[in-house]
Amino acid sequence: MLKQNGAGRRSAPRRPTQARHAAPAGAEASRAAPRNAVAPEPRRLVGDDHPIALIRHNSLPTLVERELERMILAGDLPAGSQLRENEVASMLGVSRGPIREAFRALEGSGLVRLEKNRGVFVRQIGIDEADQIFELRAVLDEFAGRRAAQNATPTETGELRRLVDRMEDAVAQGDIDGYHAANVAFHDRIVELAGNPKLTLMYRRLVNELHLHRRAALGQAGILPVSMREHRMIVEHIAQRQPAAAGRALHDHAMASRERVHDSAERPRPRRSIK
């Protein structure tokens, strides 16, 4: 409360006096951090790709979906095979709830079909449907290549080069799964660099459907060196900021992949090797 002095003016209340026994300067300094000090970063014990990190950042249905997607694309769950909830739950060591959620997500991504009163089946893509998908993918690839050549930074172009290096290493080691994974990542990264999220969603579904049909083509002798040259050319056009050339190279690469799939369908099923 304000008090009046002799002149009738009000004076401000007195501030509380400081404690007589202040802490020693050294002790106070030890408790207060320097103004410009930077707190040390916590030590990372687990990488982002470690199973513990995956569990920490993803729900169980998402983890189940990823594992089933991996198995389908690797051919461990063949096209046309039925996926029974109780069997998949037992195989993965989870309850049936996450399995049902994963099935719905996989249907949305084009890898399985849900048939009423029958169950869930890994999708089968016939040659006619595959042709339609390849034609649409070639159009999307051309658009993505043009945009990527306009948008990609030198760092991002370096990412594409490293993915091609991974493909070449896989070819040298006869690792078809390693080649397949790097190839998918390469094309997916180009679509991301186009900067259109709607394109990315549409493209990924189409690619998933094609993978159900085209893995056999990867085993043909002499095919992968040709494919590697095509990938190198695509990267060079993007690095040189040549939108038209990058788009055309990706379009032609997609259509050449269609022809390789046709060739594989006319030949006996190859062994699971790329050597």
Side-chain angles (χ1 to χ4, degrees), residues 143 147 151 191-201:
F143 174 81
R147 293 291 297 271
N151 298 339
V191 172
E192 286 181 339
L193 292 175
N196 187 320
K198 290 290 186 181
L199 168 67
T200 303
L201 290 174

Side-chain angles (χ1 to χ4, degrees), residues 8 52 72 74 105 109 130 148:
I52 293 177
I72 291 171
S109 62

